[in-house]
Amino acid sequence: MSRNVPFFNYQKFYTQNEAELMPLIQDVCRRGAFILQKDLQQFEENLAKYLGAKYVIGMANATDALHFLVRAAGIGAGDEVIFCSHTMVASPASIYFAGATPVPVECGADHLIDPTKIEAAITPRTNTIMPTQLNGRTANMEAIQEIADKYGLMILEDSAQALGSKFDGKCAGTFGKGMCISFYPAKTLGCFGDGGCLITNDDEIYETIMLLRDHGRNHDGEVVMWGLNSRLDNLQAAILDYKLKTYEQDIERRRDIARMYESRLGTVPGMTLPPGPDSDPRHFDIFQNYEIECDNRDGLRQHLRDNNIGTLVQWGGKAVHQFPKLKLNRSLPFTEKMFTRCIMLPMNTMLDDEDIHYVCDCVEQFYATGVKSRAA
Ligand SMILES: *Cc1c(COP(=O)(O)O)cnc(C)c1O
C-alpha cells in the first residue's frame, strides 16, 4: 500500500497541537510581549533546569551563538581552529568571522570528527578543536580531551544538533566553555522559524554574550561594549517552552525509530547504518538525523522519491572543504567518499510505525531487485 512520508512534516505538528498552541500564541500577542519578555525568561530557566546548566541565553539562531562563543573565548587573528569537514558551514564560519583560520579534518566511520586525524592537523598556531556533535551523537570526547590536554588546546563544540546527547553521561556542549543549540524547525527542539541559544556555566561567557546579543547594553540600558542584535523572539520562546514539556518523550520516540530501522535494515547488503541506540553504553544519542551509507545512493534516493518518501543528503551533498569558493584547499578522501554514499532517512516525531515499515519495505525492495542492474 502506498503512503506519503515527507522528510519534514512541520504542519502536522502544528495541526495536531493547534488547540493548545493557539491560546498560547494569542496570550503572547494580546500582551504585546514580543521582545525580551517573561516567556523568554521562563523558557531560559526551564531549559537550564532540564540540562542542569547555570545559564541559558536565548538567541536568534545557533550560528550567532557559536560565533559569539568563539569571540568570547578569545579566538582571533592568527589562531587556527580544527573542525570536522562533515558539518554545517556555520561551524567554520564562526571561526572565519572571528578572524581565525578554520582547518578541516576527516570524519570517522560514525560520521563525527575522527580523533585519530586531529594531531596531524595541529600546528604551532592551533589553539582550539571544534568537534561537531553531529546527527545527535556526541564524539568520543575522551580521545579529543587527551589531545587537547597534550597540546594545550581549547575545546569548543558545535552542539547545534545535540540537545540532550551524552558521552559517558556528560551532555554534549559541556566539554567546552559553552554549547550552542539550534531551534531551527528541523532540529529536535524546533520552533516556528529561526531560533537558538547559548548554554554555559561560565559567568564571564554569560555576561559577555548577554551584552553581545543586545547591542552591548546592560540592565540599565547603558552601552558598555560593542554589541549586535541576536535575541530569541519571545513568541518563539513561548512555543519552545511548550515543546520542551514533551522533549524527553520526543527523544525516546526518535530512539525507537532508530531501533526499528536497525531491526529491519541491519542486514541489507551494501548498507551501513549509524551506531544503534543500544550499541555502546558510552553514547546516548538523540538521533537528530538518521544518516546511513549505501551503494547506489542516488538510485535509492530516486526510488524512494518515486514512492513518495522524502530523504535528504546533508549540506547539499558536500563537506565544507568541497566548496571551492571557501578556499579551504584540502583533500579529505574518506569524507569525500562518504559523501557519495550518505543519505538521511526520515526521522522525526510525526512519523508513525507504519511510515517506518513503509520506508523499510521500499528500501528492501530496491536492494532486492539488484543494485547493479539499477546503477546509472
Ligand atoms: C543547524 C546547525 C547550525 C546552525 O543553526 P542555526 O540555528 O540554523 O543557525 C550549526 N551547526 C550545525 C551542526 C547545525 O546542524
Side-chain angles (χ1 to χ4, degrees):
M1 244 244 302
S2 181
R3 299 175 75 87
N4 184 24
V5 186
F7 191 78
F8 302 112
N9 204 342
Y10 303 150
Q11 51 279 59
K12 185 172 175 186
F13 173 81
Y14 174 76
T15 311
Q16 271 188 358
N17 296 279
E18 190 171 22
E20 289 180 39
L21 282 164
M22 274 323 287
L24 183 153
I25 292 168
Q26 274 172 354
D27 173 53
V28 171
C29 293
R30 283 174 179 165
R31 280 185 280 125
F34 298 136
I35 305 286
L36 296 181
Q37 296 298 308
K38 72 164 195 212
D39 309 82
L40 174 60
Q41 206 176 339
Q42 258 161 28
F43 170 63
E44 288 172 341
E45 280 166 18
N46 288 336
L47 186 57
K49 212 178 296 162
Y50 172 72
L51 290 165
K54 199 161 169 191
Y55 303 113
V56 170
I57 308 169
M59 297 183 61
N61 54 67
T63 303
D64 282 358
L66 188 59
H67 176 54
F68 287 9
L69 182 61
V70 165
R71 296 178 77 126
I75 293 169
D79 296 331
E80 289 178 7
V81 178
I82 292 170
F83 74 101
C84 178
S85 197
H86 182 6
T87 187
M88 195 187 184
V89 69
S91 338
S94 70
I95 303 160
Y96 173 85
F97 280 109
T101 305
V103 177
V105 297
E106 298 265 28
C107 65
D110 66 354
H111 296 185
L112 277 75
I113 193 166
D114 182 347
T116 68
K117 298 290 164 57
I118 293 175
E119 279 193 91
I122 293 175
T123 76
R125 288 159 59 143
T126 307
N127 82 340
T128 301
I129 306 169
M130 181 186 280
T132 295
Q133 314 298 20
L134 193 75
N135 296 332
R137 182 177 175 85
T138 307
N140 182 337
M141 296 308 293
E142 186 181 52
I144 294 168
Q145 189 68 57
E146 259 171 40
I147 299 167
D149 291 345
K150 183 170 163 191
Y151 293 89
L153 307 177
M154 262 193 298
I155 292 175
L156 285 182
E157 302 158 72
D158 180 343
S159 48
Q161 295 194 356
L163 179 59
S165 168
K166 295 187 186 103
F167 177 75
D168 277 349
K170 245 186 109 179
C171 276
T174 61
F175 296 90
K177 281 176 181 287
M179 76 194 288
C180 66
I181 294 292
S182 175
F183 304 131
Y184 182 82
K187 301 289 158 84
T188 50
L189 186 64
C191 63
F192 292 180
D194 273 311
C197 74
L198 192 285
I199 304 172
T200 185
N201 293 325
D202 185 308
D203 296 336
E204 213 171 300
I205 298 264
Y206 171 73
E207 302 295 342
T208 306
I209 289 177
M210 283 296 275
L211 292 167
L212 275 174
R213 83 158 177 188
D214 192 36
H215 304 290
R217 292 185 294 207
N218 70 11
H219 269 301
D220 305 323
E222 173 83 5
V223 176
V224 295
M225 66 184 275
W226 293 108
L228 292 159
N229 173 8
S230 183
R231 301 171 299 230
L232 176 64
D233 282 346
N234 194 64
L235 184 57
Q236 299 294 356
I239 292 164
L240 285 163
D241 206 34
Y242 169 79
K243 290 186 89 171
L244 182 61
K245 292 184 176 69
T246 56
Y247 188 68
E248 229 150 83
Q249 289 106 282
D250 291 350
I251 296 309
E252 271 320 307
R253 175 63 187 155
R254 285 173 178 271
R255 289 168 57 82
D256 280 342
I257 292 172
R259 282 184 193 103
M260 287 176 71
Y261 276 136
E262 199 173 18
S263 76
R264 290 279 321 261
L265 302 176
T267 56
V268 174
M271 179 174 274
T272 311
L273 304 181
D278 311 303
S279 61
D280 182 346
R282 299 189 82 182
H283 290 269
F284 180 82
D285 295 5
I286 63 159
F287 289 93
Q288 160 67 55
N289 302 310
Y290 199 77
E291 189 174 59
I292 66 166
E293 284 182 50
C294 59
D295 294 346
N296 193 3
R297 187 261 321 266
D298 295 338
L300 175 66
R301 192 164 196 209
Q302 186 59 48
H303 177 72
L304 295 179
R305 193 182 291 137
D306 292 343
N307 286 283
N308 305 317
I309 296 168
T311 58
L312 200 70
V313 179
Q314 229 163 177
W315 328 125
K318 285 179 184 176
V320 176
H321 75 282
Q322 293 179 281
F323 293 105
K325 298 254 162 141
L326 300 182
K327 299 196 175 74
L328 292 171
N329 302 326
R330 294 269 161 153
S331 128
L332 302 172
F334 185 89
T335 304
E336 284 154 32
K337 171 133 194 288
M338 200 277 299
F339 264 94
T340 65
R341 295 176 51 80
C342 65
I343 184 170
M344 302 196 298
L345 299 179
M347 171 58 85
N348 62 69
T349 55
M350 293 298 108
L351 298 162
D352 52 39
D353 288 3
E354 289 71 35
D355 291 328
I356 304 303
H357 284 301
Y358 175 66
V359 173
C360 294
D361 289 344
C362 291
V363 170
E364 279 175 346
Q365 187 189 55
F366 178 74
Y367 287 104
T369 45
V371 176
K372 293 270 159 9
S373 67
R374 284 168 177 272

